[in-house]
Amino acid sequence: MLRNMLTTGLYLSLLAQLGGALPEQLFSSSIPIKVAATFGALPNPIQYPQYTDTTAGAWQYFVPNTWTSGFFPATGYALDTRQRLCGSTPANALGTADWLGLARSAGNGLLNLNASDGIGHDVGFISFPFVEELLVNPQNATAVAAINNFATMLAARFDPIVGCTRSWDTADPTDFQVIIDNMMNLEVLFQSADLTGNTTLRTIATTHADTTMKNHIRDDGSTWHVVEYNSTTGAVIRKRTAQGFADNSTWSRGQAWGIYGYANMYKRTNDTNYLTTARRLATYFLDTLPADGIVPWDFNAPLTPPPRPADSSAATIAATGLLLLATQETDAISRQTWTDSAQQLLANITALAWDPSWQSLLANGTVDWPAGNLLTGIVYGDYYYIKAGNDMVTMGLTSCSADVVNSTSSAAQSAPTARSASSATRLSPFSSLW
């Protein structure tokens, strides 16, 4: 098992020599063409895509006070980043649109959201476009104000007795519910602290991460989705799931949020406890993949009956989290482990879920299996798919054309099918880069 091999370094030394071919779809011209078409179809007044239907892959649109609303404007910024990284050519179709202009226009629909709109702790996700804007224009006063506003909202949800920011509101105010997803929202606190010098925001973020590290993570590195606290005493009263298979199972997207969240916490603080935690969560994720290498909706859900669905969004989030983790490692073997694993996740899910006929980039997403919402495209799955490609270019792991990179390795092969991915190992085309 991976976690046992990691203790001896055997797996690390082996995986450093192995890897799947990077899927050429990761830089396909279909990506900007599809995204531009979706920008052109945004309703007026503004609504945002969250997931598709299950038959034609048509986007379903939701009002701004939905937790996913920041992802599509952020996708526009991601393609602006890709255009700056890769340039515009007829082959890559990145000149199809003014990505920055589209992203800014779509992001305007998020500016008037406030705490009473029901977005709660998800102000962190909503803030993504404005964080991206400051990378383009650090003097943008509108983005600065939005980030500080969202951080203030999140900080107001912090309870020092519990040591966390509240995730979901409840009828009983003493029932203080925290979900693993909330690790992703902490970045807005750091962003605002950087802008304002308010160190209290950093303290809230680290306290939340520390409490979550203590109570959300099992001994084997898996995670609970929801932990309920008593807000009067701070005591844990229940650990459960809301979107996974069972209270004692591991919902894969929650595990992916945790990988990314703790890797980012280490990046922000240099606290090695966060690095250790990110490694533990990543190890469990990779160790518990099924034989076909496809990320399931829940790692512990039974295979049959009915068939256990995949979650393409969990795969792309995890891949991006692994790439972030790789940038925090100081030794070449560990970096190679996480980058090769990210590459394999992307190859596997592309082979299963890439669908040229859908409006989304990827199919086979599971939004919420208990609610019957599965077999869809998902906006955040697509966002992290694009971001993963950008990150690999930025890290020097690939060029802007996967087919060019793959051809540099005599051992490179086409992306494995969903049914044979676990046995499709080959020399990594990136081994010499570390």
Side-chain angles (χ1 to χ4, degrees):
M1 300 296 285
L2 172 56
R3 56 179 169 269
N4 294 328
M5 290 180 179
L6 281 171
T7 63
T8 65
L10 176 59
Y11 181 80
L12 290 173
S13 63
L14 289 174
L15 190 54
Q17 304 173 58
L18 301 174
L22 192 65
E24 63 183 35
Q25 293 94 329
L26 199 61
F27 298 97
S28 169
S29 60
S30 294
I31 293 176
I33 291 170
K34 283 188 176 187
V35 174
T38 302
F39 270 112
L42 292 178
N44 184 17
I46 190 73
Q47 294 185 29
Y48 301 93
Q50 180 181 172
Y51 52 80
T52 70
D53 66 12
T54 61
T55 54
W59 283 120
Q60 309 298 294
Y61 292 89
F62 294 81
V63 294
N65 63 321
T66 304
W67 77 271
T68 56
S69 293
F71 283 107
F72 191 69
T75 299
Y77 282 101
L79 285 179
D80 177 67
T81 298
R82 179 164 294 190
Q83 188 173 34
R84 286 185 281 110
L85 289 170
C86 303
S88 298
T89 70
N92 67 26
L94 287 169
T96 299
D98 172 12
W99 303 113
L100 192 56
L102 291 173
R104 285 170 170 168
S105 178
N108 286 337
L110 306 173
L111 289 171
N112 295 323
L113 296 177
N114 57 60
S116 64
D117 286 327
I119 52 176
H121 70 109
D122 290 313
V123 290
F125 286 117
I126 297 292
S127 75
F128 281 9
F130 306 105
V131 173
E132 292 297 323
E133 174 62 31
L134 291 188
L135 294 176
V136 177
N137 178 12
Q139 307 306 316
N140 187 310
T142 299
V144 169
I147 289 170
N148 289 336
N149 185 41
F150 290 136
T152 298
M153 292 183 206
L154 184 58
R157 301 180 69 82
F158 179 73
D159 187 324
I161 295 175
V162 173
C164 282
T165 56
R166 184 190 293 269
S167 296
W168 294 332
D169 295 326
T170 57
D172 177 2
T174 66
D175 181 15
F176 195 99
Q177 299 186 9
V178 180
I179 60 176
I180 189 66
D181 319 37
N182 216 352
M183 288 300 303
M184 297 294 292
N185 289 302
L186 302 181
E187 174 62 16
V188 74
L189 299 175
F190 286 107
Q191 291 284 340
S192 184
D194 290 345
L195 293 168
T196 64
N198 183 353
T199 59
T200 298
L201 297 176
R202 294 179 183 273
T203 301
I204 290 173
T206 56
T207 302
H208 179 101
D210 291 345
T211 303
T212 301
M213 189 164 53
K214 176 182 177 182
N215 295 320
H216 261 87
I217 303 171
R218 304 183 183 104
D219 290 343
D220 64 357
S222 63
T223 54
W224 278 280
H225 181 197
V226 187
V227 175
E228 297 183 22
Y229 297 86
N230 183 302
S231 63
T232 302
T233 65
V236 174
I237 57 177
R238 186 184 178 193
K239 298 183 179 184
R240 64 179 181 87
T241 194
Q243 289 169 255
F245 171 69
D247 289 346
N248 62 349
S249 69
T250 302
W251 176 51
S252 63
R253 189 160 71 243
Q255 190 78 11
W257 292 136
I259 295 168
Y260 194 107
Y262 278 102
N264 192 57
M265 284 300 301
Y266 177 69
K267 177 182 178 181
R268 278 295 193 169
T269 67
N270 290 320
D271 184 334
T272 56
N273 289 317
Y274 299 142
L275 178 61
T276 299
T277 300
R279 289 168 173 164
R280 289 180 61 215
L281 270 59
T283 299
Y284 178 90
F285 194 102
L286 298 172
D287 188 32
T288 317
L289 285 171
D292 61 10
I294 299 297
V295 179
W297 138 74
D298 188 296
F299 285 113
N300 306 113
L303 294 174
T304 55
R308 179 175 65 180
D311 183 8
S312 53
S313 73
T316 62
I317 294 163
T320 312
L322 290 171
L323 293 172
L324 177 60
L325 178 56
T327 67
Q328 309 307 306
E329 297 284 7
T330 58
D331 69 281
I333 291 179
S334 295
R335 292 196 301 268
Q336 191 75 47
T337 297
W338 306 129
T339 55
D340 280 352
S341 298
Q343 178 183 329
Q344 192 69 63
L345 288 176
L346 293 169
N348 292 348
I349 203 60
T350 300
L352 175 73
W354 179 267
D355 194 323
S357 70
W358 280 32
Q359 292 178 356
S360 61
L361 306 181
L362 300 175
N364 289 90
T366 299
V367 175
D368 187 343
W369 184 88
N373 193 334
L374 64 157
L375 299 177
T376 72
I378 303 179
V379 68
Y380 41 88
D382 283 3
Y383 166 73
Y384 284 105
Y385 190 75
I386 297 170
K387 178 171 169 53
N390 291 353
D391 290 349
M392 295 186 84
V393 173
T394 301
M395 294 166 69
L397 298 173
T398 184
S399 72
C400 294
S401 176
D403 56 345
V404 172
V405 174
N406 291 335
S407 69
T408 65
S409 170
S410 61
Q413 302 174 21
S414 60
T417 65
R419 300 306 173 204
S420 62
S422 63
S423 61
T425 55
R426 57 195 63 82
L427 292 177
S428 170
F430 307 136
S431 298
S432 62
L433 295 181
W434 290 115

